[in-house]
Amino acid sequence: QQIQHAYSSLLESKGYRARYCQRRMIADIANTLGDIETDEEGGRTSAGHICVVEAGTGTGKTVAYALSALPLARALDKRLVIATATVALQEQITLKDLPDIAHHAGLDFSFSLAKGRRRYLCLARLDQALQAAGQFNRSLPLYDDEIPSEPDEAQRQLYDRMLTRLGRGEWDGDRDTWSGSLEEQAWMKVSTDHVQCTGRKCSHFQSCYFYKAREQIGGSDCIVTNQDLVLADLMMGGGAVLPAPEDTIYVFDEGHHLPDKAVSHLSQSLQLQSTSAWLEQLPETSRRLVAELGSVASFPESQAAFEAEIAAALTGMTSLADMIEPLRAESDVSGEDRRYRFALGQVDDAIRQLAASLATSLGVIAQQVTSLVTALEHRLDDADGDELERVEPWVPVVAAIAARLESAGALFGAYHRQDEPGVPPHARWMTFLREDDVTLNASPVDVSSELDELLWSRCFGAVVTSATLAVSGDFERFRYRTGIPEDSTFDALPSPFDFGGRARINIPAMPADPRDSDAHTEMLADLLPGIVAPATGALVLFSSWWQMNQVLEAIPREFRDQVLAQGTAAKAEILDTHRGRVDNGEPSVIFGLASFAEGIDLPGGYCDHVVIAKIPFAVPDDPVGATLSEWIESRGGNSFFDIMMPDAALRLVQACGRLMRTETDQGDITILDKRLITQRYGRVLLDALPPFRRNFAEGSVP
């Protein structure tokens, strides 16, 4: 009744009519969450607690999931966490949508925005930067942001301005509210992560901007955040920054990003030469620590054993570098580097055994460094005055060393570990860099079991929504990628837009096939000026930097002057310039890649023609996708139809979705890929698109 009343109030207050797709989404979510059974303590005791809804632009997804989930979350004494994939959507939800819903729907709820530590100023790091107190670790390049640790003059002036604005109350320590641009290197020096943050042991804890923001989160009914922070929190056990999963109802907006983000969080990499370089410095660092602080944990007594283990690890890394160097000649060129991928993720036995030895050595070293962290934290508890000033700067440094050692050990462990039979393997590959270094990489190709263990099996409830989750109403590919249980609610909602009446999809006659890259690129350069000429604002989407740049060089100068190409300026600047040109009555064309194929909002005349260079199949040299395809083929499957086709269909729908952003938008979509009408799979891809009017070359399929 609360949900129904809130929805009626919002519609009446704003003068809206109820949309069938929005009402159905509200019902799906309310029924799913409302049917969850609980014990006396409020814990979930039933399954079927997840709702997956595909809903296109115009549905009003935010209104639907907020109106349905908020009253239920409060009634169940749970917290609602809305996780998006982009900053733009987070800002829209917190600055516009939720305040609007609270005002017009008559719902009483509080909400806040949750960000990771890196979005907030660390007062301890700022203090060190201003006083050059970080000089003791100048030679310890654990991460890029530590090199060099002492700020240059421009950064010192920036930090002085930060301190002044903080003192005047003109800034709250949030990177996103700083007036003016901030270079990444400068910001990284005065922010921190969960590894290097000393929490309540920090002398600046009472004034910490991150923990102040976290206190606000603690009292909010609804928390808006990003999917990366949710995944990071879950990998730390859950409840580290956000509420515990068992007490949370999650809404994953832009949910199609979730499996790829999970793959990224569960991947590991290590640059061999750089790792050896900082490992060589650990003995000197530990000796300096003892010189400054005296006896800590088992040091200096265990110094000899510590250095012997490091020497063994360094010897092993040198042997590994020698062992894998011959593979450089067998690697494939990838951009400026060369990449070697192990077939089916199976590493050669000699490399596996050496990786096992390195994982063991690094594990021993990590244990010794972790004991240092623990001892330093205990000393910090009782320290004050000079002792506090001497001990406190060492804690984040040693904690970062321990984390780096654990990460390196995990990478070598992944290289030694053999995948279980019948289970999708890990992708394992090496990138040979131009500086004679090599990066070792390992990544799961399937995160369904990890997501089930970390998220689905633990959360009280969840809603996953996006405009692209199913292929022609079939959620099987998405369910396979995410591990969402079969007993969940799945619904693909019809769009409220009049696609057939307001938009047309064109496939002109084309002599070139995209599989002939040179001929297809030449054809694009010839056809594009004529195709986009009538448009007020056009968006041309490419699948590769190479082709986009080749076309850009080949098109006539007059047309090139109308083009704003990705990479020539920041994304926001390109969009602003484009809107300005259209507002002034000037033709404007954006050339972009995948990041411009979704999340771009150009309503009306800002985009009345979308041109797609070719079917957006996955890049063939992606090691993760290639390993998964290889595994499917090895089991008698067809990776093209099982993976590449559905994934391409979803990308195609996303790209086409840039045309109609409101009910009154209209225009054309042109796809310059003859395979849509010459190959049998073209019909499958076309049928996955909204019901646009079709204007195909003569003699093609209807």
Side-chain angles (χ1 to χ4, degrees), residues 466-681:
S466 170
T468 48
L469 296 176
V471 179
S472 299
D474 184 356
F475 288 90
E476 188 57 28
R477 171 65 176 148
F478 184 71
R479 199 186 71 76
Y480 173 83
R481 296 190 69 201
T482 57
I484 292 176
E486 288 185 70
D487 58 9
S488 303
T489 299
F490 295 90
D491 199 1
L493 302 180
S495 172
F497 287 172
D498 179 16
F499 291 109
R502 305 192 69 85
R504 180 178 63 178
I505 186 167
N506 309 293
I507 303 179
M510 290 168 282
D513 188 301
R515 288 169 289 194
D516 183 346
S517 296
D518 291 334
H520 185 250
T521 300
E522 184 178 344
M523 182 196 74
L524 290 177
D526 289 340
L527 293 180
L528 278 176
I531 288 174
V532 304
T536 304
L539 175 64
V540 182
L541 298 169
F542 295 87
S543 296
S544 73
W545 282 101
W546 176 85
Q547 187 172 62
M548 184 182 77
N549 290 328
Q550 291 292 114
V551 171
L552 195 60
E553 290 181 9
I555 56 178
R557 178 61 182 270
E558 182 180 349
F559 180 56
R560 193 186 315 156
D561 290 341
Q562 302 174 15
V563 174
L564 299 164
Q566 182 175 349
T568 58
K571 187 176 181 180
E573 184 180 343
I574 288 174
L575 294 174
D576 287 343
T577 303
H578 175 78
R579 293 186 186 100
R581 286 181 175 180
V582 174
D583 288 341
N584 291 331
E586 304 171 22
S588 185
V589 182
I590 294 175
F591 276 18
L593 297 162
S595 61
F596 277 79
E598 61 173 292
I600 298 297
D601 197 27
L602 294 170
Y606 293 131
C607 182
D608 53 12
H609 200 155
V610 173
V611 181
I612 300 169
K614 62 181 180 180
I615 300 169
F617 287 119
V619 179
D621 63 350
D622 167 42
V624 176
T627 301
L628 178 59
S629 296
E630 201 171 50
W631 181 75
I632 289 173
E633 298 284 346
S634 73
R635 296 170 59 82
N638 187 313
S639 62
F640 181 78
F641 286 101
D642 292 347
I643 297 175
M644 294 184 68
M645 277 278 293
D647 288 355
L650 293 173
R651 293 190 193 99
L652 201 57
V653 173
Q654 279 283 1
C656 292
R658 297 315 96 205
L659 179 68
M660 292 187 65
R661 307 305 299 164
T662 71
E663 290 182 356
T664 59
D665 288 349
Q666 58 186 351
D668 283 87
I669 297 167
T670 300
I671 305 178
L672 298 172
D673 192 329
K674 65 191 299 183
R675 291 174 294 179
L676 285 169
I677 54 178
T678 61
Q679 302 298 311
R680 285 185 298 174
Y681 60 76

Side-chain angles (χ1 to χ4, degrees), residues 312-490:
L314 288 169
T315 300
M317 288 188 187
T318 301
S319 298
L320 181 60
D322 293 340
M323 188 177 295
I324 63 182
E325 182 58 30
L327 298 177
R328 185 186 293 267
E330 301 178 32
S331 58
D332 299 320
V333 176
S334 176
E336 296 180 345
D337 304 314
R338 302 184 68 88
R339 180 184 293 157
Y340 180 90
R341 182 178 64 83
F342 293 98
L344 286 169
Q346 296 177 358
V347 178
D348 302 346
D349 284 341
I351 296 176
R352 282 188 58 248
Q353 296 309 316
L354 192 48
S357 175
L358 283 165
T360 300
S361 288
L362 290 168
V364 171
I365 300 167
Q367 286 179 348
Q368 293 173 298
V369 175
T370 300
S371 70
L372 280 175
V373 176
T374 303
L376 288 169
E377 289 177 341
H378 288 324
R379 282 182 63 167
L380 199 59
D381 288 335
D382 302 323
D384 56 21
D386 292 342
E387 173 74 354
L388 179 64
E389 289 185 7
R390 289 189 302 116
V391 174
E392 187 174 15
W394 276 103
V395 177
V397 173
V398 180
I401 295 172
R404 185 68 176 267
L405 287 165
E406 289 171 4
S407 176
L411 182 281
F412 287 122
Y415 262 59
H416 169 254
R417 192 181 310 114
Q418 289 187 307
D419 299 307
E420 296 180 19
V423 175
H426 271 60
R428 298 175 178 89
W429 71 98
M430 301 180 296
T431 303
F432 292 94
L433 309 175
R434 288 181 299 168
E435 301 83 7
D436 294 325
D437 201 354
V438 59
T439 300
L440 308 181
N441 306 274
S443 171
V445 300
D446 170 48
V447 292
S448 57
S449 60
E450 287 87 349
L451 281 174
D452 182 54
E453 179 183 351
L454 294 170
L455 176 58
W456 311 127
S457 65
R458 293 185 59 190
C459 70
F460 183 84
V463 176
V464 184
T465 186
S466 170
T468 48
L469 296 176
V471 179
S472 299
D474 184 356
F475 288 90
E476 188 57 28
R477 171 65 176 148
F478 184 71
R479 199 186 71 76
Y480 173 83
R481 296 190 69 201
T482 57
I484 292 176
E486 288 185 70
D487 58 9
S488 303
T489 299
F490 295 90

Side-chain angles (χ1 to χ4, degrees), residues 25-34 51 53 64-65 68-69 72 463:
M25 184 171 178
I26 292 172
D28 284 339
I29 296 170
N31 289 332
T32 300
L33 300 179
C51 182
V53 182
Y65 61 64
S68 52
L72 279 161
V463 176

